[in-house]
Amino acid sequence: MDGTRSDTAIDWARVRADFPILDRQVHGKPLVYLDSANTGQKPDCVIAAVDDFYRRHNANVSRAVHALGSEATAAYEGARGKLARFFNVAADELVLCSGTTFAINLVAYSWALPRLQPGDTILLTRMEHHANIVPWQLIAQRTGATIRVVELLPDGSLDLDALFTLMTPEVRLLGLAHVSNVLGTVNPVAAICKEAAKRGITTVIDGSQAAPHMPVDIAALGCDFYAATGHKISGPTGTGVLWARREHLAAMPPFLGGGEMIKEVRFDGTVFNDAPHKFEAGTPNIAGFVGLGAAVDYLSAIGMANIAAREQDLLAHATEELSNIDGLRVFGTAPDKAAVISFAIDGTHSHDLATLLDLEGVAVRSGQHCAHPLLQSLGVGTTCRASLAFYNNHAEIEAFIVALRKVHGLLG
Ligand code: PMP
């Protein structure tokens, strides 16, 4: 049945075949991997790029004059160039780091800590991941700034009227998810950043869940900082990016000190390297970034717009099927929504559902999804989350629904 619902010319079955892990069996059943919001699976070309780097080019970057050192440096900087093109930004504004968590902490400690003071406000939203909450709490404790929270509408979209009302003169910074990892809500980031800029509010966008699902043109968003994670866009774990406006990077002190981030070190003073290297102390995850470079080449060859359309097709199918299950509630029904479905079934615990689904080969996440404040407001302790990617197919959605009906029956 796969292919019948897709309106693009892409052969999605062939795309799926690029992901070797999807052929696995789990507990004797074919794997149905619906946890891509947690981490994405990797295509052969990414695995091969990492393997080839270690087999043929492995050396440290920037420090060696020998051939392998030059090759490793070219591969690492080449990956930065690929990522810059993928996100439509300049390569010298792109800091390579371990992921969104590191990226947001970098902004918190290098941009916010020296600037915020008592009386200043940090604006966050109810749907933020802990990675876009806890660093700001730490900075608020250190600076005396306060945190204010924008609430959501019943469908899980951001209350934009409340957001704009809360953008008062004390607000210095807005931390905002581009896409919610629990609700799937896609926030109108460009419109929000425009309003923030008018009021002199610095915007930090958590793009962790947007980059896997849609074309992200950071330049068009008008934000100040944008963070994304490599392992959710088919790349290796321990990779990610922080994009920041050149003037911010120039004005920010380094976050971590060490090798690579300096031009000259003397005991009476150190001259730092230029951005982005100023923020890349120590040996980076070179092979990881080589893999991530291969990943964005792969995604670009398919086309992020095609990926978005494919996932919308899968999302519509799954949402329709779930709506026919008695007692099942979906959290997050905003009109602009990525392929992330959080749900709960009355009278069952999400951990029991997820555990029994696993025995059927179906991998979903259960819990609070690193978003305790959001879960507190939903009125459920935990949810199950099925998150889809372009390499899933309609047959897997059918298998998921059959398994869900079975385990619901067992628990009911
Ligand atoms: N923000 C969001 C919205 C996320 O979904 C995640 C990953 N679950 C993160 C931040 C953190 O990403 P990482 O663990 O790769 O740093």
Side-chain angles (χ1 to χ4, degrees), residues 195-270:
E195 289 304 315
K198 276 191 217 160
R199 297 160 167 86
I201 298 170
T202 298
T203 42
V204 182
I205 308 303
D206 173 354
S208 223
Q209 296 291 344
H213 296 296
M214 61 189 70
V216 173
D217 178 343
I218 296 177
L221 294 176
C223 56
D224 288 284
F225 296 97
Y226 195 97
T229 279
H231 67 88
K232 298 189 204 278
I233 52 170
S234 301
T237 49
T239 61
V241 296
L242 173 70
W243 172 82
R245 291 180 186 281
R246 193 167 287 122
E247 57 270 28
H248 288 318
L249 290 178
M252 284 157 57
F255 176 35
L256 298 176
E260 305 283 353
M261 51 74 72
I262 47 83
K263 279 185 179 156
E264 188 187 357
V265 178
R266 302 166 66 93
F267 278 115
D268 58 1
T270 287

Side-chain angles (χ1 to χ4, degrees), residues 37-39 98-104 127-132 177-182 206-210 228-232 238-240 365 369-370 385:
N38 214 350
T39 196
S98 63
T100 298
T101 303
F102 186 97
I104 295 176
M127 70 174 84
E128 299 312 311
H129 185 279
H130 296 162
N132 207 18
H178 193 164
V179 171
S180 161
N181 67 313
V182 178
D206 173 354
S208 223
Q209 296 291 344
T229 279
H231 67 88
K232 298 189 204 278
T239 61
R365 186 170 172 187
H369 317 296
C370 297
R385 182 186 69 185

Side-chain angles (χ1 to χ4, degrees), residues 351-362 403 407-408 410-411:
H351 286 358
D352 294 336
L353 280 175
T355 305
L356 291 178
L357 282 172
D358 180 56
L359 294 176
E360 300 298 317
V362 180
V407 305
H408 185 202
L410 292 175
L411 290 168

Side-chain angles (χ1 to χ4, degrees), residues 75-76 79 83 96-98 236 238-241 284-294:
Y76 180 69
L83 286 158
L96 304 187
C97 60
S98 63
T239 61
V241 296
N285 182 358
I286 309 165
F289 280 101
V290 169
L292 184 56

